[in-house]
Amino acid sequence: MAVQKLKSEEISKRSKLKEEKPYVYEKIVKFEEKYKRGESIAIIQFQYNYACNFRCQHCSVKRFQGKNNARQFAIADVKELFRQADEMGLARVTITGGEPLVFKDFDELVAAIDPQKFYINCDTNGWLLDEKRAKHIKSIGVDRIQLSIDSLDANEHDNFRKAKGSHERAMKAVEIALHAGLGIFIQTVVTKQRLRTDEFIEFLEYFNKKGVGVFVSYAKPVGSWESNFDVLVDKNDMKYMEELEKKHQVFTHLTPAYGLNMGCIAVKGMFSVTQYGDVLPCPYIHISIGNVFKEPLKDIIQRGLNIKYFGEHIDTCLIAVDRAFIDKYIVKRIYNKPLPVPCSEVFTDEDKTLTPFNEGI
């Protein structure tokens, strides 16, 4: 069954949200009925600007960075995007990039999204998060930061992020966020080589003891890691992760949430919007299902749901595990092309949705 009982932790978070952001709460409690109707309840992963102060080994947006003469988001465009998202009943956004804390118009960006209408997460590498900044971004309506840390070993983290001293600053940022009362969880990249190590277990235990959850992002063969298939996990590795979820406060995009087991959440549970207005099924599937500067968001999302990989229940991560999908659609139809590739150049009539994800609920 796709519908499950809410965990006690989720019930507690909803109660807090009801008190702090009642309008957002009202949208979230409708997620189950929206999902049953076959509608998206997605987190909007908003790649507002690709400016960044790091050059990470695994950067998934490397080929999006650099000179591009296409239209880019202005604050007025942000307001319009989230007006449409609000009308669709969407309630959550993750501000990302790049590194959001380098954005000169960060405050204006948050105001344009409207914190009273959306639960706002913010990705960060922690480099620029001091106590004053943490308190400030909380005061303007950011609910939580998603802080990237990839090892308890400073040298390993700094080498991975290609930024000397980044580990020290990130670890300080954890304490700063907790002291400021700013919500936080740790994002960490997990390769096949790292998953079953003692280091990874120690990593989970270290942050869990601080009351901080860990979100695992499986390695993907895109961006700086194009064709790096050696780092990919397999289905047995994912089963191992499911066992870890029973023992630790750790989760992935496949972890059931809001009482729903959605499997792959591309389009139905998350989509990305690039700096140039293209909508991607997820941050790592660099296919454009439409552009918000050219047509309504609602129409674009429906187009995505009409593609079987995003409109049907898929019980795995397509871009991290499914080598058949990766080989057929990513390697052969996306690699070596300008990004994002229009969905019309990737999918054909045989890829249309036949069994919508809401059937059988």
Side-chain angles (χ1 to χ4, degrees), residues 36 38 67 89 96 103 124 128 155 169-170 176 186 204 210-211 215 224 231 246 257 270 299 342 359:
K36 287 180 177 180
K67 187 176 180 180
T96 188
F103 301 167
T124 184
L128 297 172
N155 289 329
R169 289 207 185 198
I176 286 168
I186 303 301
L204 298 180
K210 293 180 176 293
F215 171 73
S224 297
V231 296
K246 298 174 183 177
M270 170 180 274
D299 294 347
E359 287 194 7

Side-chain angles (χ1 to χ4, degrees), residues 287 308-309 324-335 346-348 350-351:
I287 298 167
K308 67 182 180 181
Y309 295 103
F325 178 87
I326 293 168
D327 292 341
K328 181 176 181 179
Y329 296 102
I330 307 302
V331 176
K332 294 181 180 178
R333 303 184 189 183
I334 295 180
Y335 281 5
V346 179
F347 300 111
T348 65
E350 71 176 15
D351 299 311

Side-chain angles (χ1 to χ4, degrees), residues 79-197:
K79 290 180 179 178
E80 173 57 21
L81 170 63
F82 285 92
R83 181 195 67 78
Q84 293 184 46
D86 180 44
E87 284 188 352
M88 293 171 63
L90 303 181
R92 301 163 295 159
V93 56
T94 296
I95 300 171
T96 188
E99 166 56 40
L101 296 190
V102 307
F103 301 167
K104 294 180 180 179
D105 57 352
F106 183 84
D107 287 19
E108 291 84 357
L109 171 61
V110 172
I113 291 169
D114 193 343
Q116 295 308 308
K117 293 182 178 178
F118 290 90
Y119 185 90
I120 300 178
N121 291 295
C122 179
D123 279 340
T124 184
N125 55 41
W127 186 271
L128 297 172
L129 191 75
D130 57 22
E131 190 168 350
K132 182 179 178 181
R133 192 74 186 274
K135 290 179 178 178
H136 175 71
I137 64 175
K138 184 177 188 293
S139 74
I140 64 173
V142 173
D143 296 284
R144 183 172 63 188
I145 60 166
Q146 304 178 176
L147 179 64
S148 296
I149 300 179
D150 291 298
S151 177
L152 292 179
D153 182 275
N155 289 329
E156 286 186 12
H157 175 90
D158 289 1
N159 289 336
F160 190 74
R161 296 281 164 178
K162 297 183 182 178
K164 188 172 178 59
S166 61
H167 184 267
E168 182 181 2
R169 289 207 185 198
M171 297 297 276
K172 285 182 179 178
V174 176
E175 304 304 326
I176 286 168
L178 291 172
H179 185 259
L182 180 62
I184 180 174
F185 67 76
I186 303 301
Q187 293 192 133
T188 194
V189 177
V190 170
T191 61
K192 186 175 188 65
Q193 292 75 18
R194 185 186 184 205
L195 177 60
R196 298 174 187 265
T197 63

Side-chain angles (χ1 to χ4, degrees), residues 4 47 50 55-56 58 83 161 178-179 207-208 213 246 300 307 317 335:
Q4 303 176 337
Q47 301 170 4
Y50 293 120
R55 294 292 180 269
C56 304
H58 70 305
R83 181 195 67 78
R161 296 281 164 178
L178 291 172
H179 185 259
F207 290 108
N208 285 179
K246 298 174 183 177
I300 295 171
I307 298 168
C317 179
Y335 281 5

